[in-house]
Amino acid sequence: MITLRRLPLSQQLALVAASCCLVATLALVALAARSSEYTQDNLQNAYGHAVTEQLAHRLASELATGDLLGVRAEIQKLVEQDSIAGARAVDIDGVVIVEGGVIDTLPLPFTAPILIAGDMAGWAEVATDTREQDEAQLVFIIGLSALAVLLSVVVYGVTRPLGQRLARNIDAVSAELGDVAASPDNVTNELEKLRQRVAALPLSLLRPGATDAIQGAEHYQDTAVLYLRLSSLPDYVDTLDEQRLQRYIAQVHRLLFGAAGFYGGRLQVVRQLGLAIFFNDEHKIGSPILRAASCGWLIQQACPSVEEHLRLSVKLGIAIGMSELGIGNSDDIYPGLYIQATLDELESLASDSDDGIAVSVAASTDIDLTTRMEVESASQGRQVLGGLADGHRDLLERQLHVLLKAVLNTTSST
């Protein structure tokens, strides 16, 4: 059953259809064979009784005159027929008077009394030969079974191209989703491949307006913070008209929100020119610090394309840090007060890191981060993100392609 699930969709559909066809046709073959056997038995019984009664009538005439030679002649004439295996005449005491053919090794279902002047003189017994009918029945069943198998093969051949057409459509959708998530290994079934790729999608990116109710426990665990300083914004506040300034900020918002959606980050304004994206809880990509760094990399790499599209500078200072508590909420302000020190530290790092992504000391020791990204030393004792591991780079580049396509297309439509 597991092997069947691993087969391509076209083969699965063809095998299931062919199997159903084979089971249905073999059931009809069994019904036809049983019906034919029932009809043949009825005909054979009627024939056997008729022959036996006729033989008893003729033997009564011969025995009435004591002509045993006539009795033998009647029996011999009867057994010469292909449909009769044997026959015999038995007296009232059960002693065989005359016997012909092979009868002892066969059942004797057909008997008729021999009556002379109304008195019982014995019995006539006849065994019919059904070998020819049995062989014909067997050939009939084999022929119908072969036809059932042939029909199932035809159904398999017709169904498989139809399944391949359906599989190609599913594969096309799966290939589009493959730009977002890593491709599953050694998966030949199209539905299983599609299921794995859908499971790897950043579904939060598809629900930009939905926010889950914040549970207090979330804010009492380690939280990674990606701090973003809008370095270009002060230059445009007094130089751009209101409408264009709003479009500029909306575009930056789409970029940040879309990148955060890949990793389950929550975007929030925390300073006059600063925004923070918070990451906590478990995630299939890795630790909160790794997700913050990956999100920062996506934003940094996407900025040049957004600048070219807007024809305005999108200069960001980016820094990554770690806090022991989260952002808090209206029911519990303590975590929000506690995290301010981390935000102050990251604001300082971001102000000095217009070209790279600064990493705080607390964040630089994360194992997931150091195994997939390099942390390099920079001037003034700062630490910045460096190169990426090949596997992680492939995933980020696919996500970057999807992010730019979504953000720039949205801008064009508006």
Side-chain angles (χ1 to χ4, degrees):
M1 195 65 177
I2 296 177
T3 303
L4 179 62
R5 288 201 300 266
R6 292 177 178 173
L7 291 176
L9 181 61
S10 59
Q11 292 188 21
Q12 284 191 13
L13 293 177
L15 286 174
V16 170
S19 300
C20 291
C21 177
L22 182 61
V23 170
T25 50
L26 287 180
L28 292 177
V29 169
L31 181 61
R34 186 68 187 90
S35 176
S36 176
E37 181 182 2
Y38 177 78
T39 302
Q40 180 178 321
D41 288 344
N42 287 340
L43 293 175
Q44 193 67 33
N45 289 335
Y47 173 74
H49 285 299
V51 170
T52 305
E53 289 176 357
Q54 185 179 11
L55 176 62
H57 179 72
R58 292 199 300 267
L59 292 181
S61 301
E62 300 296 339
L63 289 176
T65 59
D67 186 2
L68 294 180
L69 292 177
V71 172
R72 182 177 298 278
E74 290 291 340
I75 291 177
Q76 188 62 36
K77 185 190 302 182
L78 181 63
V79 298
E80 288 177 356
Q81 299 180 23
D82 294 336
S83 59
I84 303 301
R88 66 187 173 189
V90 181
D91 64 14
I92 193 69
D93 296 324
V95 178
V96 177
I97 302 173
V98 177
E99 181 178 335
V102 180
I103 194 168
D104 290 336
T105 58
L106 297 175
L108 299 173
F110 308 112
T111 61
I114 301 174
L115 300 176
I116 299 177
D119 296 327
M120 177 74 72
W123 293 271
E125 297 179 346
V126 175
T128 58
D129 187 355
T130 61
R131 287 177 298 176
E132 184 175 349
Q133 290 83 352
D134 293 341
E135 290 175 0
Q137 178 78 359
L138 180 61
V139 171
F140 172 72
I141 294 174
I142 293 175
L144 287 182
S145 300
L147 183 61
V149 173
L150 180 61
L151 182 60
S152 300
V153 172
V154 172
V155 170
Y156 179 89
V158 171
T159 306
R160 187 170 182 183
L162 299 177
Q164 288 173 338
R165 184 182 304 174
L166 175 61
R168 282 195 295 269
N169 294 334
I170 296 176
D171 253 341
V173 176
S174 182
E176 293 181 5
L177 298 180
D179 291 335
V180 181
S183 301
D185 296 328
N186 301 324
V187 178
T188 57
N189 182 266
E190 293 80 5
L191 287 177
E192 179 64 18
K193 185 186 298 182
L194 179 62
R195 186 192 67 79
Q196 292 187 16
R197 285 183 170 170
V198 168
L201 283 175
L203 297 181
S204 57
L205 181 62
L206 305 179
R207 300 187 296 268
T211 55
D212 296 330
I214 300 177
Q215 301 297 325
E218 294 181 4
H219 306 292
Y220 285 84
Q221 57 183 330
D222 290 346
T223 301
V225 183
L226 174 64
Y227 189 90
L228 303 149
R229 185 176 185 276
L230 305 179
S231 303
S232 301
L233 184 59
D235 297 333
Y236 295 134
V237 171
D238 297 325
T239 57
L240 296 180
D241 60 83
E242 185 69 19
Q243 185 176 8
R244 192 174 184 192
L245 181 62
Q246 288 182 0
R247 284 202 301 266
Y248 173 83
I249 295 177
Q251 178 64 24
V252 174
H253 183 198
R254 291 190 192 95
L255 171 62
L256 303 183
F257 189 87
F262 280 101
Y263 302 103
R266 294 194 294 273
L267 177 64
Q268 184 172 320
V269 177
V270 293
R271 295 291 186 271
Q272 182 178 5
L273 297 175
L275 302 96
I277 303 176
F278 300 93
F279 303 86
N280 54 19
D281 297 329
E282 295 183 357
H283 195 279
K284 59 181 177 294
I285 296 298
S287 68
I289 287 293
L290 175 63
R291 287 148 51 199
S294 301
C295 182
W297 188 92
L298 284 179
I299 293 170
Q300 185 186 56
Q301 298 300 315
C303 279
S305 297
V306 176
E307 287 179 341
E308 182 180 354
H309 187 77
L310 288 176
R311 297 183 180 179
L312 293 171
S313 174
V314 183
K315 191 175 182 181
L316 301 175
I318 306 176
I320 302 168
M322 172 66 78
S323 172
E324 295 179 352
L325 299 182
I327 59 177
N329 56 22
S330 59
D331 296 327
D332 187 358
I333 64 173
Y334 177 75
L337 295 172
Y338 184 91
I339 204 172
Q340 295 305 309
T342 301
L343 295 176
D344 291 340
E345 177 190 7
L346 294 179
E347 182 180 23
S348 176
L349 290 174
S351 299
D352 299 332
S353 303
D354 290 339
D355 296 330
I357 300 177
V359 182
S360 70
V361 176
S364 63
T365 59
D366 183 77
I367 296 178
D368 275 1
L369 176 66
T370 55
T371 54
R372 301 192 193 183
M373 294 184 173
E374 296 179 0
V375 179
E376 303 173 346
S377 297
S379 60
Q380 300 177 354
R382 295 185 301 111
Q383 293 179 303
V384 296
L385 285 183
L388 310 176
D390 291 340
H392 198 57
R393 176 180 290 276
D394 292 340
L395 175 61
L396 289 180
E397 287 178 349
R398 285 194 296 269
Q399 292 175 342
L400 177 61
H401 173 74
V402 174
L403 177 63
L404 287 175
K405 184 176 179 181
V407 172
L408 298 182
N409 285 351
T410 303
T411 304
S412 301
S413 63
T414 55

